[in-house]
Amino acid sequence: MADAVMTLLVESLCQLITEKVKLIGGAKDELDNLLQVINTLKAFLQDNDQQESNSNSWKTFVKNIRTQAHKADDVIDKFVLEAKLHEEKNIWKKTLSFGRHIKRVNNLAKGIKDICEKVKVIRQENPQVLQPRPMLNLPRRLAREPQATFLEVRNIVGFTTESNEVMERLVGGTEEVECIPIVGMTGLGKTTLARKVWSDSQITAIFSKIIWVSVGQSNELEDIFFVILKSSTGPNQEFRLTGENELAKVIASFGTEQHRCLIVLDDVWASELVDFFKNVLPENKKRHRILMTTRRRDLASCASERPYHLKFLTGEDSFRLLEKRVFDNGRCQNDLVELGKSIANKCGGLPLALVVIARALKVIQNVYEWKRIENNFWQYVVRENDTTSCWKIVEASYESLSSEMKTCFLYCLAFPKGYDIPVQMLIRLWMAEGLIESSPINFSSSEDKADNYLMEFENLDLVIVSREITGSIKRVKCNEMFYEFYKMEVTKESVFQELRLTPDFPSINDPDTSRRLHIESCDLPDFISRISSAEHVRSFLCFSSEDLDQQTNLSSHVDIQLIRKAFPLLRVLKIESINIPSLKNLNLLFHLRYISISGNFKELPAFFSKFWSLQSIIVNTSQPTLNIKANIWNMPKLTHLKTNKPSKLPLPSTQKGKGSSSLLQTLSKISPETCNKAVLGQASNSLKKLSIQGKIEDSLQTNSDRFSTFEGFQTLEKFECLENLKLVSDVPCHTNDFQFPKALFRFLLKLKKLTLSKTMFDWKDATKLGQLECLEVLKLKTDAFTGKSWNPEKGDFRKLQVLWIHSNDLHTWEASGSHFPKLRVLVLECPKLESVPAELSQFQQQS
């Protein structure tokens, strides 16, 4: 967590020193010095966090460094707020307050100097932590011997079918070396299944050489090989090996013409190990096999085209296993059956959780004690540092993450349990919080990094993702099975503080643990009335856990400006689950990076232009349109503007030095009448997602005073970044006298998704869409085209995966599979359509 704090601090310092040097005046030298110190410590933390994460001295050192980084962050942000207010004064007021401003600059310099001195003292008092370590002395995770396997589930329910299927693949298959991966969530019984297969008489009869090694997170081949040799040689046999090649020769000797070899690799974390064994075992057509267990889906897919995915136990099997473990193969008492089934269901089909909770249930078998265990389920299933609970095996997935990835994952738990988090919102929040790089110039690389993080979380079953049909991640949800366990990590790492209104209201005054606050919307009005000043708070997030779409209206006597007064240094304000009465009281939140709000707003005020760090604006209004008064084109960090109703955009500034292209990635939704040549020209070099809603028909009209929407497209030299375009008419158009806009395929070179609704173009023009070479998703909804037939041309739509058509007129559609070679989903809402070609009907789905 400390290096995440420092990442944001470094970003703020660089911005101050390079872009806003006038604000800091005489404090520049001190800030330069602090930047150097913070950069050095940040690099040191990143290099050493994985090796030192379990050391108490290291944890104390990191906590002290984080505290000083927070203090520096507070001192700088508070000064910038005061300097911005001074900068906005007229010349007369500036003159009068000049002395006070100089004093503030001097105080800033002194405060930064004091912090640097404290960091120096911390480093001097911790020489053992800061000493460079030889690589040979770094702690290593060694391979384990078979008897050290973490979980051995006796009397397991099921696995008969599973073991038979795995054995069939081990015995059958090709004559060459093959790997059969067993993959599944931690605690699902992968090791138990492998043990069952490994010890089966059919396997021991067929394979004359069977070797088991529990790998774990070891990356030392030599350690693993020695474990293998120790388990496969006689107790008195001596062997002397001089390097990896010699070890490989010994392993290869297991698979001779006389021996058929089976190597079981339990709990694999790296593909290199499996690749090594595939290369070492001889290709002598003896059907040598490698059986591996892994929790990583990506490794399983690399090892085999057909990984064996282990499934969760059914509700019935879960209760049967619980019953066997509690009552030693006997039957559950009648008065405990319902409670037992309820507790079994809480285990989510996970054998490990069932075995652990069974130990607690077995001690005292009465209704009162079982009810108490049910109410405190997670205290029994996951007990920290208790290797008989689920803690150790669950911790392994979390501990395999880098420090930055851990923080990003734990941030997901700021959302209520069961919350489907839109992935684009999550990524933008990560950027705004400084958890990953947030530079608009490197926005794509930041998104790629975030996507890689999410795929890693999915690989380890930390989250469950839902995907677009094209494969991209759409939403992400924390795995509910171990949600409470990771919530303990959230508290320990001070990622955010969850506020719940109780008679003993939790304090938010600790600058190290209360920098991010999370509250349910139903508690917000009461919280605001009791709020205290806390300048250190940087994020305020409000959710509704019961009905995520329901909004709570603030009563008239509650003033939203209390949030601004209590948290003047806010960077993230996410309160769209409530309606706020006015935006005017947010005018001094200069440090905002992300804002998501709802209310009866007519406009986005001009003062938003002053928020120099703002990256994302999400506004939901009950008005039919939203007038954007803020000059979004000159906001240096703004990449995302999203409104639920069409917004009217301002014209770009014509002032000298103010006309540079914006860095906007998303414009959704905007009104057609403001989507002209000047507006589109500002966004053409960066825009990825564009949604236009309103009177599309009017925007097709051109005159001497105004460029149309599509003429705006046509007059551009290029529009090469746009990937997602949505055009929605509020009322059906009647544009039969106008040609379909050629710009849609002349300049949209990278367009992947196109949605048209109520535009009512002629079906004969729909064929032109096939010239969009990158198009993957095409949604023609609510009479986007009119006419009775559509005859797409062959050779077009080469990459189209999703086709959605809603038309009340379409009678015939002459298309075949060759027209859409990549098609995966076809949705047709065409009541008059006579038939669908047979080769396309296999893709047809309901809307």
Side-chain angles (χ1 to χ4, degrees), residues 90 362 447:
N90 59 40
K362 191 171 184 176
E447 283 201 320

Side-chain angles (χ1 to χ4, degrees), residues 75 87 157 161 205 231 242 327 428 516 557 573 649 662 809:
V75 168
E87 189 181 48
V157 173
T161 301
S231 65
T242 57
F327 296 99
R428 291 185 181 97
R516 300 187 184 97
H557 67 276
L573 181 61
L649 304 182
S662 81
D809 295 332

Side-chain angles (χ1 to χ4, degrees), residues 639-657:
T639 58
H640 180 67
L641 174 62
K642 184 178 179 181
T643 58
N644 67 323
K645 299 293 177 64
S647 57
K648 298 179 180 179
L649 304 182
L651 286 172
S653 172
T654 57
Q655 298 176 22
K656 185 177 180 180

Side-chain angles (χ1 to χ4, degrees), residues 495-499 506-509 513-514 516-519:
V495 179
F496 61 86
Q497 181 181 357
E498 184 175 0
L499 301 177
S507 170
I508 59 170
N509 294 323
T513 62
S514 305
R516 300 187 184 97
L517 303 180
H518 164 206
I519 191 170

Side-chain angles (χ1 to χ4, degrees), residues 257-522:
E257 293 296 331
Q258 291 76 35
H259 294 293
R260 186 176 178 187
C261 183
L262 169 64
I263 297 177
V264 184
L265 303 174
D266 181 42
D267 195 19
V268 177
W269 288 76
S271 59
E272 292 80 7
L273 182 63
V274 180
D275 295 339
F276 190 92
F277 277 102
K278 282 184 176 180
N279 294 329
V280 166
L281 286 171
E283 296 284 357
N284 54 7
K285 299 186 177 181
K286 293 295 291 183
R287 299 176 185 266
H288 304 304
R289 295 291 181 260
I290 300 169
L291 179 64
M292 65 176 278
T293 71
T294 181
R295 66 186 74 187
R296 296 188 60 92
R297 301 180 188 184
D298 54 345
L299 295 189
S301 299
C302 289
S304 170
E305 293 181 356
R306 293 193 304 131
Y308 190 85
H309 291 274
L310 198 55
K311 297 180 175 62
F312 292 90
L313 295 179
T314 64
E316 181 181 347
D317 283 344
S318 294
F319 179 67
R320 284 174 54 207
L321 173 58
L322 188 71
E323 188 177 45
K324 280 191 174 187
R325 297 308 298 260
V326 174
F327 296 99
D328 296 323
N329 295 318
R331 299 297 299 274
C332 181
Q333 299 167 203
N334 290 337
D335 60 337
L336 297 176
V337 169
E338 290 304 315
L339 267 175
K341 288 183 177 180
S342 175
I343 293 171
N345 286 335
K346 285 194 171 188
C347 294
L350 203 65
L352 174 62
L354 288 158
V355 170
V356 170
I357 202 69
R359 296 194 193 107
L361 296 172
K362 191 171 184 176
V363 176
I364 303 177
Q365 296 171 15
N366 62 59
V367 172
Y368 174 78
E369 288 298 326
W370 279 33
K371 190 68 178 176
R372 185 171 60 84
I373 291 172
E374 181 189 33
N375 292 335
N376 300 280
F377 178 78
W378 280 104
Q379 293 181 16
Y380 290 91
V381 173
V382 181
R383 294 189 298 273
E384 189 172 358
N385 295 319
D386 182 354
T387 56
T388 65
S389 77
C390 294
W391 175 78
K392 194 69 178 176
I393 200 164
V394 174
E395 184 200 36
S397 293
Y398 173 71
E399 288 298 334
S400 70
L401 303 175
S402 68
S403 177
E404 184 173 278
M405 292 173 72
K406 285 177 183 175
T407 309
C408 287
F409 166 65
L410 293 180
Y411 190 86
C412 297
L413 279 82
F415 295 83
K417 191 174 184 178
Y419 194 111
D420 274 314
I421 312 168
V423 69
Q424 290 302 314
M425 178 180 72
L426 179 61
I427 291 173
R428 291 185 181 97
L429 281 169
W430 281 351
M431 292 182 185
E433 298 280 11
L435 305 185
I436 59 175
E437 184 182 15
S438 60
S439 170
I441 298 173
N442 297 317
F443 192 88
S444 295
S445 61
S446 300
E447 283 201 320
D448 289 343
K449 179 191 281 191
D451 284 338
N452 289 336
Y453 283 5
L454 290 170
M455 286 189 286
E456 180 69 0
F457 300 160
E458 182 189 21
N459 271 325
L460 295 171
D461 284 302
L462 297 172
V463 300
I464 299 167
V465 304
S466 56
R467 297 179 181 273
E468 302 277 8
I469 191 63
T470 55
S472 60
I473 300 175
K474 183 179 181 180
R475 292 178 177 271
V476 60
K477 179 168 63 175
C478 291
N479 194 318
E480 294 183 28
M481 188 62 211
F482 295 109
Y483 185 90
E484 298 299 329
F485 166 74
Y486 293 118
K487 222 32 184 320
M488 293 189 293
E489 290 295 319
V490 167
T491 302
K492 190 188 304 181
E493 295 296 327
S494 304
V495 179
F496 61 86
Q497 181 181 357
E498 184 175 0
L499 301 177
R500 293 190 178 276
L501 292 193
T502 60
D504 184 19
F505 188 75
S507 170
I508 59 170
N509 294 323
D510 188 341
D512 287 327
T513 62
S514 305
R515 299 188 79 80
R516 300 187 184 97
L517 303 180
H518 164 206
I519 191 170
E520 291 192 9
S521 56
C522 59

Side-chain angles (χ1 to χ4, degrees), residues 9 13 26-35 37-38 68 71-73 75-76 79 104-122:
L9 184 53
L13 284 168
K28 184 177 184 301
D29 290 342
E30 282 74 15
L31 289 170
D32 279 332
N33 185 35
L34 177 63
L35 178 60
V37 170
I38 294 296
Q68 295 307 315
K71 287 182 178 178
D73 196 33
V75 168
I76 293 168
F79 170 78
R104 292 190 188 105
V105 173
N106 293 334
N107 288 338
L108 170 67
K110 184 180 182 301
I112 295 300
K113 188 175 181 179
D114 289 344
I115 290 169
C116 288
E117 287 297 322
K118 289 179 181 177
V119 170
K120 183 179 179 180
V121 171
I122 292 172

Side-chain angles (χ1 to χ4, degrees), residues 602-609 617 626-635 638 641 643 646-655 658-660 662 664 666-683:
K602 293 183 179 180
E603 64 180 40
L604 187 72
F607 65 72
F608 271 72
S609 307
I617 303 175
L626 183 71
N627 194 9
I628 307 294
K629 293 289 189 178
N631 190 349
I632 60 173
W633 312 114
N634 290 334
M635 297 176 69
L638 187 64
L641 174 62
T643 58
S647 57
K648 298 179 180 179
L649 304 182
L651 286 172
S653 172
T654 57
Q655 298 176 22
K658 297 288 186 179
S660 59
S662 81
L664 277 165
T666 303
L667 276 176
S668 174
K669 305 167 182 175
I670 63 174
S671 178
E673 58 263 33
T674 58
C675 188
N676 51 44
K677 175 186 175 182
V679 168
L680 290 177
Q682 280 291 304

